[in-house]
Amino acid sequence: MCGIIGYLGGREATPILMESLKRLEYRGYDSAGVAVLELPKAGEATRTSVTKSEAKVDTLIEKLEANMPSGRLGIGHTRWATHGKPTYINAHPHTDCHGKIFVVHNGIIENFAELKAELQAAGHEFPSDTDTEVVPHLIEANYKGDFLAAVRAALKRIRGAYALAMFSSDDPELLVGARLNAPLVVGLGDEEYYIASDITAIIPYTKRVLVLGEGEVAAITPLGAEVSTLDGVTVKPKIVHVDWDVAQAQKGGFPHFMLKEIHETPEAVANASRGRLSDDGVVSFREFDIPDEQLRGIKDVLLLGMGTSLHAAMIGEYVIEDWAGIPARAEDASEFRYRRPTVGDKTLDVVITQSGETADTLVALQQAKARGALTVAVTNVIASSAARDADGAIYLHAGPEIGVASTKTLLAHMVSLYLLALRIASVNGRVSLERRQELVEALRVLPDQVRGILARDKEIAKLADKYSRYRNFMYAGRGLGYPVALEGALKLKEISYAHAEGTSGGELKHGPIALLDDQFPVVAICTASSTKDKMVSNVHEIVARNAPVFALVTEGDRSLDGVATDLFVMPQVEDAMSAILNTVMLQLFAYHVAVKLGQNVDQPRNLAKSVTVE
Ligand code: F6R
């Protein structure tokens, strides 16, 4: 998830690009760059000045302040690496063979490898490892004197997600923006125009925003912005007036980063499988391409993580065992590192870490590797320690998570683990084509189903309002619902400071039930699954102890009507997807309880985003 900005107008572009990139930095910050079409001096040809930094935006700004390009047209980028390490060469903008076409990009180009091979065969050279670099070369290959036509022809070839800002030094009065499955807005100022990933970047300059639709291209000249489809059909632009102030815009209009990040889940779950899953359910992880033969030799899977990532590991344990039929176990990395576990060269060690920097997880990874395990890090941060230390990495592509409590990255972890389970199951011949296609379809509709839960925010806030008066909570579930219950409890305690514990439904009457009374509510995960009836029995036992129960149930299931104190009805979905929807619901519930109690949800006390000490 990168930040992009473009400017065309009567003012100096560079200071505007610098300020805007600073405001976009929350989207990504591992490297940055700008390209400015310089005003030609008398008798000289037009030239584009490119400035890049392999560090944060501040370093780029220092460079620009020391040597400020002067021009009225420019583009800028702050990067969250997806393909290729955060290096100078990989920093955007990228250009074509002749240094005429400049492009900044947010998104993932799924078919970049085949396009790159085709362009290389035609003589194009690619200095970077990025997927983005195919865009300027593809435009160059299609250029016959009309830049806009070349852009359209190039974009027709691209699959995946893109938000782009582009210009060519042959057209000094044309700035082009385009989007597909990635956000992009066009700001309309007073005889000046902006392109940006979101309105955060441009809100100090204009509040009139043209919202670009999927697969649309904006051609911006000093005369205005024209929108068209890739086929060149003119589209009537949709212009809105935004009344946010700068602070609101930073959080995309949400009061907290945590809420904003929960609302980014649809994009995060889509990105986790983007380009990795064929229509027939064949999984390929570009960054972690274990040959089938080697994967077939794997006899057990060890999943390591801490906190929320440990809960993701537990979910991975269930699905790998269930789908792939090989032993899988999730372990608390801080315990694993002090044991003498049975790990060998037939073990696949999957290290789950959003930040890629959790100290205990890194040590556990090194120990598993030292014992001969094949190691893979599933992480959100490119070139993080875990990604570097492991034999391979699977990246979440969820964009930066700023709220201390993990939210969208957990859901992206879950999708990644589903894909890994499917990959192992496929090489072991454990999953039919029909089942694979079912899962492909389930993942395809998942982002919309998550949106369905997010749209019920008010309903969830009302429930949270009612339950926020309690100081103790029990969360109970079975199967995938068990780690979901543990996570629900963790989220609530870490941001609201209410006491919350998670348990399996079966364990309840072996001790925890002693705590229950009319002041100790239970959140029961009772959505459809093979153990749903057992959970329903548990709820009856809980109700008999006078504890209030708020249960998540599947639509059409009436077994807890009149039994549970409150019901939250979830859609009928595949078990693995239900775990995702239930988690999103419980994240929102915890969020609203914490807000009701006036807590600092983005920076809860005593916690840090990345726990780099033991
Ligand atoms: C909870 C939370 C933590 C992290 C844990 C591991 O909301 O954020 O429990 O999940 O510290 O962090 P990573 O995934 O970065 O290894």
Side-chain angles (χ1 to χ4, degrees):
M1 203 171 93
C2 308
I4 69 175
I5 175 76
Y7 175 80
L8 174 71
R11 290 190 284 160
E12 284 291 345
T14 310
I16 293 169
L17 299 179
M18 281 159 45
E19 278 177 28
S20 306
L21 287 179
K22 205 57 209 144
R23 278 189 295 274
L24 281 170
E25 206 173 11
Y26 77 91
R27 295 181 65 89
Y29 38 73
D30 56 41
S31 53
V34 298
V36 176
L37 189 69
E38 295 217 78
L39 296 175
K41 301 200 177 74
E44 285 179 8
T46 327
R47 103 174 239 290
T48 301
S49 154
V50 177
T51 313
K52 294 186 188 185
S53 136
E54 62 183 18
K56 293 190 175 201
V57 172
D58 280 343
T59 320
L60 176 77
I61 290 177
E62 275 169 30
K63 284 188 177 183
L64 288 167
E65 277 169 348
N67 196 358
M68 187 82 74
S70 172
R72 314 280 193 233
L73 168 62
I75 56 178
H77 188 265
T78 176
R79 183 166 184 247
W80 180 255
T82 59
H83 294 76
K85 295 203 165 98
T87 59
Y88 184 90
I89 293 290
N90 288 336
H92 299 213
H94 288 286
T95 189
D96 62 323
C97 296
H98 294 92
K100 286 192 166 186
I101 297 165
F102 293 87
V103 172
V104 288
H105 168 225
N106 167 38
I108 298 171
I109 297 172
E110 288 172 12
N111 58 336
F112 90 96
E114 62 195 70
L115 292 173
K116 188 169 173 172
E118 176 189 315
L119 289 159
Q120 277 171 326
H124 291 258
E125 285 179 15
F126 289 78
S128 88
D129 303 318
T130 63
D131 53 340
T132 303
E133 212 180 0
V134 297
V135 181
H137 288 276
L138 210 50
I139 297 173
E140 181 182 31
N142 284 282
Y143 187 72
K144 297 184 188 87
D146 180 343
F147 182 59
L148 194 56
V151 166
R152 287 201 194 101
L155 297 187
K156 278 186 172 178
R157 301 279 323 275
I158 289 176
R159 283 202 318 270
Y162 56 74
L164 297 158
M166 306 161 270
F167 71 82
S168 159
S169 53
D170 281 346
D171 280 281
E173 300 213 311
L174 176 62
L175 170 67
V176 178
R179 69 165 286 225
L180 182 73
N181 300 323
L184 195 74
V185 293
V186 176
L188 308 172
D190 193 9
E191 293 187 3
E192 57 182 7
Y193 304 90
Y194 309 82
I195 289 177
S197 299
D198 62 46
I199 42 184
T200 313
I202 55 175
I203 209 85
Y205 311 125
T206 181
K207 295 198 161 51
R208 276 184 77 223
V209 172
L210 184 160
V211 183
L212 212 55
E214 295 290 353
E216 289 178 359
V217 180
I220 299 165
T221 66
L223 300 176
E226 285 188 359
V227 181
S228 58
T229 64
L230 293 188
D231 289 324
V233 178
T234 305
V235 176
K236 192 172 176 303
K238 189 177 153 213
I239 296 168
V240 292
H241 183 87
V242 183
D243 55 3
W244 294 350
D245 60 26
V246 175
Q248 272 177 310
Q250 193 76 26
K251 291 176 184 152
F254 290 97
H256 300 99
F257 280 111
M258 180 178 174
L259 187 61
K260 173 172 174 288
E261 285 157 7
I262 294 174
H263 279 261
E264 284 168 353
T265 303
E267 200 184 335
V269 293
N271 278 354
S273 62
R274 201 182 292 291
R276 292 173 167 165
L277 191 60
S278 76
D279 291 348
D280 284 344
V282 176
V283 177
S284 61
F285 295 109
R286 240 192 317 260
E287 319 91 311
F288 178 58
D289 211 7
I290 317 178
D292 286 5
E293 211 33 56
Q294 189 182 2
L295 206 50
R296 224 170 268 130
I298 294 295
K299 295 294 171 239
D300 66 315
V301 181
L302 166 69
L303 299 111
L304 296 167
M306 296 300 296
T308 293
S309 291
L310 175 59
H311 300 149
M314 290 174 72
I315 293 197
E317 169 185 318
Y318 274 78
V319 290
I320 290 171
E321 213 163 57
D322 189 20
W323 301 357
I326 58 171
R329 65 182 203 270
E331 295 238 12
D332 169 328
S334 70
E335 284 298 310
F336 176 87
R337 63 182 286 190
Y338 292 113
R339 294 193 7 239
R340 281 191 290 159
T342 48
V343 172
D345 60 3
K346 302 272 185 289
T347 303
L348 173 64
D349 173 25
V350 184
V351 173
I352 320 278
T353 168
Q354 180 280 130
S355 62
E357 304 297 344
T358 298
D360 283 314
T361 309
L362 292 178
V363 175
L365 157 65
Q366 280 147 13
Q367 293 185 349
K369 201 172 176 184
R371 288 184 168 90
L374 175 66
T375 55
V376 58
V378 189
T379 180
N380 198 29
V381 183
I382 302 266
S384 57
S385 302
R388 283 198 310 268
D389 291 354
D391 297 308
I394 294 173
Y395 291 115
L396 302 182
H397 303 316
E401 197 172 62
I402 294 167
V404 163
S406 283
T407 52
K408 63 175 176 174
T409 55
L410 166 63
L411 289 323
H413 262 134
M414 286 162 72
V415 170
S416 306
L417 290 166
Y418 295 167
L419 294 191
L420 183 62
L422 194 54
R423 168 101 176 90
I424 303 173
S426 301
V427 297
N428 289 350
R430 292 269 313 191
V431 59
S432 65
L433 174 65
E434 204 184 4
R435 173 74 182 125
R436 290 203 309 261
Q437 286 169 336
E438 250 172 51
L439 286 168
V440 170
E441 180 54 19
L443 283 167
R444 195 186 61 75
V445 295
L446 180 64
D448 272 343
Q449 288 168 340
V450 174
R451 281 185 198 102
I453 303 298
L454 299 175
R456 293 167 69 189
D457 188 63
K458 282 208 173 74
E459 195 186 334
I460 299 171
K462 211 167 148 203
L463 265 174
D465 204 36
K466 173 173 174 183
Y467 281 85
S468 59
R469 71 178 185 81
Y470 294 102
R471 298 311 303 140
N472 297 291
F473 288 82
M474 183 79 68
Y475 283 65
R478 288 173 181 255
L480 289 176
Y482 173 36
V484 169
L486 292 176
E487 175 60 16
L490 176 64
K491 212 84 311 173
L492 186 71
K493 74 181 128 195
E494 69 183 333
I495 59 169
S496 79
Y497 317 139
H499 163 236
E501 49 183 285
T503 177
S504 70
E507 182 67 8
L508 199 60
K509 51 180 162 300
H510 295 276
I513 202 166
L515 291 168
L516 302 184
D517 62 20
D518 62 358
Q519 292 307 308
F520 206 128
V522 178
V523 179
I525 321 284
C526 302
T527 40
S529 76
S530 56
T531 48
K532 193 262 324 185
D533 291 341
K534 306 280 170 208
M535 271 310 298
V536 168
S537 306
N538 290 141
V539 170
H540 281 278
E541 290 154 14
I542 294 162
V543 169
R545 271 79 191 172
N546 295 325
V549 174
F550 134 44
L552 272 60
V553 294
T554 300
E555 60 188 347
D557 181 356
R558 317 231 67 120
S559 47
L560 286 175
D561 285 12
V563 180
T565 324
D566 289 285
L567 294 176
F568 190 84
V569 180
M570 301 296 281
Q572 180 110 43
V573 295
E574 140 95 32
D575 201 15
M577 306 309 151
S578 168
I580 289 186
L581 300 185
N582 291 345
T583 303
V584 173
M585 191 279 165
L586 294 180
Q587 288 174 349
L588 281 174
F589 177 75
Y591 168 81
H592 284 296
V593 171
V595 169
K596 174 79 186 164
L597 297 177
Q599 311 300 13
N600 181 348
V601 287
D602 281 338
Q603 290 170 334
R605 71 184 179 207
N606 307 340
L607 296 176
K609 185 71 186 156
S610 179
V611 186
T612 54
V613 290
E614 190 184 343

